Amino acid sequence: MTHTDTMERRYSTHDHDVVIVGGGPAGCSAGVFTARAGLDTVIFDRGRSSISRCAHLENYLGFPGGIDIETMYELMHDHARTAGCAFVPDLVESVGRRDDGVGFVVQPQEGEPVTARRVVAATRYDGEYLRGLDEDAAMFETDEHDGEEREPFDGTDADHDGVTPVEGLYVASPSDEADLQAIVAAGRGGRVARRVVADARIDAGWWEAAATRPDWVRRRAELDDEWADRETWVEWFDEYLGEDAPVDPSSERYRRVREAAIDDARDSYVAPAEIERRSGEGRRTLAGHLGAEAVVEAFDDETLLEAMDDDVIRAYVAAEHQSPEASD
């Protein structure tokens, strides 16, 4: 997880930095990126993502035998929670501007309203909750369907990164560019989220080149002795990210952004022990969602025993012999 100090929390008068409406692939993907960047993120999800209409998901990369929808949904939500997102199991009825014009008021069907600096629309079929913002931009267009006139939400005003004419409102779904398949929608959510993160950083004093760095984890072994020195990172920033900065390099703002960007970049390189720890945690989390019975069924008894570490087996047997049940 990155540790960028966007400063949005420090000065914010909003309940959340980002509210995402919709907990399907687009919404969860967006939430993973915004939460990892340090933005306080909440996802409103009523459990009716269009992905739930699938009988079985067979074309999502990384699952060669396909995956059942319930497990996929649980994995997406667990991933978003692990990244730092909170979930609200409620339907959003409306999104409107705050009285001061900065940010939004999000009104759910059952709970209390919350405020947010930014809102990401990630509900493919229904954007009615955004009608209160239509004065700022024409997001609802009249058309005819089966002989009846209707006025559905039109997300085509959003640009390639999901930015809309309404400041602070982004559309991950619906989208003409990526709206028909779960794996594409997730990619769209991630792309939109990167724009949200960049805009939040820019509001905090960053500039475009510095604000749009990738979110990744890399091997520390890729860094030689020269890059172990922080001064090398300072030179890198000044040359590649600071040369066209719209601020004085001697200013406090420049130094603050440079320090945060360097910390962010250096934190993305992890040692072998940390890579191994994260890999093990990832496999255990996945196995936990699949369940012990499913894991056992995937192997025959001989293969399962061969895969088990001898020390683990000995420790388990010893613990069983020492347990109160074993002595009864």
Side-chain angles (χ1 to χ4, degrees):
M1 183 178 296
T2 57
H3 303 282
T4 300
D5 177 12
T6 66
M7 297 185 68
E8 209 160 270
R9 280 288 85 204
R10 188 179 302 175
Y11 301 120
S12 178
T13 60
H14 301 82
D15 296 321
H16 305 285
D17 296 323
V18 181
V19 161
I20 298 172
V21 185
C28 286
S29 178
V32 166
F33 279 83
T34 57
R36 280 174 58 83
L39 298 180
D40 181 289
T41 303
V42 63
I43 300 175
F44 281 83
D45 179 59
R46 58 176 176 170
R48 297 181 185 177
S49 169
S50 57
I51 195 176
S52 64
R53 299 176 63 186
C54 298
H56 190 72
L57 194 59
E58 296 184 332
N59 57 0
Y60 202 100
L61 192 64
F63 299 97
I67 184 169
D68 65 281
I69 298 304
E70 182 178 336
T71 300
M72 183 64 179
Y73 215 69
E74 290 176 357
L75 286 168
M76 291 191 306
H77 282 219
D78 194 12
H79 193 167
R81 287 192 184 92
T82 301
C85 295
F87 277 85
V88 177
D90 203 349
L91 173 71
V92 170
E93 287 198 332
S94 67
V95 175
R97 277 291 186 190
R98 290 208 326 177
D99 291 340
D100 61 5
V102 180
F104 305 90
V105 178
V106 179
Q107 177 64 63
Q109 188 175 63
E110 298 178 0
E112 294 297 317
V114 298
T115 59
R117 177 66 183 85
R118 292 175 172 81
V119 168
V120 177
T123 52
R124 181 181 177 200
Y125 292 114
D126 185 12
E128 187 66 24
Y129 58 93
L130 296 173
R131 191 171 291 276
L133 299 173
D134 205 34
E135 294 180 0
D136 297 322
M139 296 185 292
F140 293 85
E141 294 188 357
T142 303
D143 66 10
E144 190 172 301
H145 182 70
D146 291 338
E148 294 185 5
E149 193 174 89
R150 62 176 191 169
E151 197 177 8
F153 173 74
D154 179 15
T156 58
D157 278 346
D159 71 8
H160 192 52
D161 292 327
V163 178
T164 74
V166 181
E167 183 182 354
L169 175 67
Y170 305 78
V171 174
S173 182
S175 164
D176 281 350
E177 295 187 13
D179 194 43
L180 297 178
Q181 301 280 268
I183 196 166
V184 180
R188 170 72 173 176
R191 182 181 186 89
V192 172
R194 287 196 63 202
R195 185 66 257 166
V196 174
V197 171
D199 286 348
R201 289 172 173 169
I202 289 171
D203 279 358
W206 296 45
W207 49 93
E208 187 71 20
T212 52
R213 302 295 299 160
D215 174 5
W216 57 15
V217 177
R218 304 183 68 174
R219 294 177 177 83
R220 188 171 295 173
E222 295 178 13
L223 300 178
D224 56 24
D225 292 341
E226 180 184 6
W227 286 95
D229 184 357
R230 191 178 183 87
E231 188 56 37
T232 300
W233 287 95
V234 171
E235 295 172 0
W236 160 79
F237 183 94
D238 290 343
E239 180 177 356
Y240 291 101
L241 302 180
E243 185 174 353
D244 297 322
V247 294
D248 184 347
S250 64
S251 67
E252 187 278 333
R253 173 187 169 190
Y254 183 94
R255 291 193 297 270
R256 174 175 58 80
V257 172
R258 182 173 62 189
E259 288 304 297
I262 291 175
D263 286 344
D264 212 26
R266 286 165 61 93
D267 285 348
S268 68
Y269 289 86
V270 295
E274 177 61 13
I275 295 172
E276 185 175 354
R277 184 195 70 77
R278 296 187 189 188
S279 298
E281 183 177 331
R283 288 191 291 266
R284 286 190 296 273
T285 300
L286 178 59
H289 280 279
L290 298 178
E293 184 176 333
V295 174
V296 171
E297 285 180 356
F299 303 93
D300 56 45
D301 292 342
E302 185 175 342
T303 303
L304 191 60
L305 288 172
E306 288 178 354
M308 295 179 67
D309 185 272
D310 289 345
D311 291 337
V312 173
I313 297 175
R314 292 190 189 97
Y316 174 79
V317 172
E320 283 292 297
H321 282 299
Q322 294 173 7
S323 67
E325 292 82 358
S327 61
D328 289 343

